């Protein structure tokens, strides 16, 4: 029996799964927490990875491993391979002004046509611009720039040589300076961000390519591309720290509005994606506000009528990316003396979170995706209220795979792919799904749109 391992180094934690290479059967797993914050020293990821690997039984009997990680973060290394400063994570919005300036300098249409993206604060290029402007000494010291999953793969390799940094198309495509159609970095865009282009960037491996390490190391992937490998395709809505709507495509998206990012996937195709900054934590914050746990929040939400009697939550608690409002805050609208109840507020939190993702679904449909059904994954998909309310908001059937570590699973599937040399990853059936259907209530989306428009009209 050949075993492979997949790693999900996410914003909040590190998860490891060990699976049979041929069938995908789960053998064992482990996890460890990451510290909070939007800037973190990468050493914490390494410590968590070692702990999670130990919790999962180690690598002595594992043939191959791939690392999937949170996308976009900026990891700067000096010429000795030391970390220059704490990594800025995807959800650090301090580079919002840099994103706006970069967009203005080339124009949104030019960005979309050249690399499939329009800069927002999440992307690495905007963080490099921020670094150059606000920490010029650190920018000057920077000899290499990589992403979280790149850095962990490099540490696993153990050479300490910057030339051994590697990445994959999916994660590289989210930097803001990689052309996923041509398959190469764009030096003038690197220079536009950092002020120079003479930095080492990770070599981009093919989907099934591998390098040496303690075991065979796959190319890895961005978390969304790995999750797509884990669930097996379709239109996927992922409800983790961020909310993500994505699909697979043979053509890179080029959306000048910036709502849909034209990323690459982990198989050689493309991954049109819309992202919100606010997902599962909306439910956490609302539960805390109401003084209940998540199970009670779900029960309260399901006890309220669709539309929450006119209560609307715009859940921009951490700013927002879709629409691009990095400085926005959350707000409750429509409160009256009669509808201001815990049940309606709980319902409005679930509906508001899902309405933000529905905007992304509409945008993917406009880019040609078949949005006749949705797969719902991520931590918040465990909520009965989320599962039951999602089809009411989305207006299409929703299937929910059994809870699992789909990002880590996708990384493990990629690791298995490195062992076969086939043209496609192995076929794994990881989990059964439940199907949820309900009549859509368009008024929910309409009220949410009216409330959200107040931000856009300021």
């Amino acid at each position: 029996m050949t075993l492979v391992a997949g790693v999900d180094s996410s914003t909040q934690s590190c998860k490891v799964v060990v699976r049979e290479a041929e069938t995908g059967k789960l053998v064992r797993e482990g996890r460890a927490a990451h510290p909070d914050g939007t800037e973190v020293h990468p050493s914490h990821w390494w410590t968590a990875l070692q702990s999670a690997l130990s919790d999962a039984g180690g690598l002595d009997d594992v043939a191959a491993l791939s690392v999937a990680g949170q996308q976009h973060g900026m990891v700067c290394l000096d010429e000795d391979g030391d970390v220059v400063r704490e990594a800025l994570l995807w959800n650090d919005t301090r580079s919002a002004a840099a994103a706006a300036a970069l967009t203005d300098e080339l124009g949104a249409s030019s960005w979309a046509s050249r690399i499939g993206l329009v800069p927002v604060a999440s992307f690495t290029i905007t963080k490099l611009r921020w670094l150059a402007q606000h920490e010029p000494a650190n920018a000057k010291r920077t000899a290499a720039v990589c992403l979280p999953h790149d850095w962990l793969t490099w540490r696993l390799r153990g050479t300490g040589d910057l030339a051994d940094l590697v990445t994959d198309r999916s994660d590289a495509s989210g930097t803001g300076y990689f052309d996923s159609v041509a398959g190469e970095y764009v030096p003038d865009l690197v220079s536009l961000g950092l002020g120079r282009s003479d930095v080492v960037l990770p070599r981009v491996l093919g989907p099934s390519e591998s390098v040496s390490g303690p075991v065979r190391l796959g190319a890895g992937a961005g978390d969304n591309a790995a999750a797509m490998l884990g669930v097996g395709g379709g239109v996927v809505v992922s409800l983790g720290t961020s909310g993500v709507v994505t699909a697979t495509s043979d053509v890179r998206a080029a959306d000048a509005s910036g709502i849909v990012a034209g990323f690459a996937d982990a198989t050689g195709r493309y991954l049109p994606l819309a992202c919100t900054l606010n997902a599962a934590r909306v439910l956490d914050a609302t539960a805390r506000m109401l003084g209940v746990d998540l199970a009670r929040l779900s029960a309260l939400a399901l006890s309220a009528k669709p539309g929450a009697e006119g209560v609307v939550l715009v859940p921009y608690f951490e700013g927002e990316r879709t629409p691009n409002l990095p400085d926005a805050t959350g707000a409750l609208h429509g409160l009256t003396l009669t509808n201001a109840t815990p049940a309606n507020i709980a319902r409005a939190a679930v509906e508001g979170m899902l309405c933000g993702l529905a905007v992304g679904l509409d945008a993917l449909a406009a880019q040609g995706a078949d949005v006749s059904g949705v797969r719902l994954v991520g931590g918040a998909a465990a909520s009965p209220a989320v599962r039951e309310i999602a089809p009411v908001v989305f207006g299409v059937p929703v299937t929910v795979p059994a809870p699992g570590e789909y990002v880590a699973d996708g990384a493990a599937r990629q690791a298995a792919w490195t062992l076969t040399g086939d043209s496609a990853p192995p076929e794994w059936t990881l989990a059964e799904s439940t199907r949820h259907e309900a009549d859509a209530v368009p008024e929910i989306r309409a009220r949410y749109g009216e409330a959200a428009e107040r931000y856009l009209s300021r």
Side-chain angles (χ1 to χ4, degrees), residues 71-72 90 116-118 120 122-123 170-171 173-174 222-228 235-238 242-249 251-255 257-265 270-277 321-322 357 359-361 363-365 367 369:
Q71 291 184 251
H72 312 310
W90 63 273
L117 309 177
V118 177
V120 294
S122 297
F123 299 159
S170 71
D171 226 0
S173 70
D223 50 2
N224 296 301
M228 187 63 78
V235 177
V236 175
V237 173
S238 177
S242 63
V244 173
V245 184
T246 191
T248 53
S249 172
V251 179
R252 185 178 70 190
D255 181 7
S257 76
I259 294 177
V260 177
F263 297 138
D265 78 346
Y270 297 93
L271 195 77
L273 180 149
C275 178
T276 68
L277 290 183
R321 171 170 159 178
T322 304
L357 275 300
V359 172
L361 282 173
L364 254 66
Q367 290 287 321

Side-chain angles (χ1 to χ4, degrees), residues 49 66 244 341 361 363 442:
L49 174 60
S66 284
V244 173
T341 66
L361 282 173

Side-chain angles (χ1 to χ4, degrees), residues 282-373:
V282 173
L283 306 186
D284 294 336
T286 307
R288 186 169 62 250
M289 179 173 65
L290 296 177
V292 299
D293 61 17
L294 290 173
R296 179 59 180 159
L297 182 80
S298 178
L300 283 169
L302 288 174
S303 73
K305 296 178 180 178
E309 295 187 90
V311 179
V312 177
L313 175 68
V314 181
Y316 300 163
F317 291 170
E318 295 188 294
E320 191 44 80
R321 171 170 159 178
T322 304
N324 186 24
L325 297 168
D327 298 320
T329 56
L332 273 170
H333 295 269
L335 290 172
T336 68
L337 291 175
T338 56
N339 69 12
T341 66
N344 282 331
I345 292 172
R347 178 94 189 193
V350 176
E351 291 180 346
M353 178 188 71
L354 293 170
C355 281
L357 275 300
V359 172
L361 282 173
D362 289 347
L364 254 66
Q367 290 287 321
D370 177 11
V371 188
S372 56

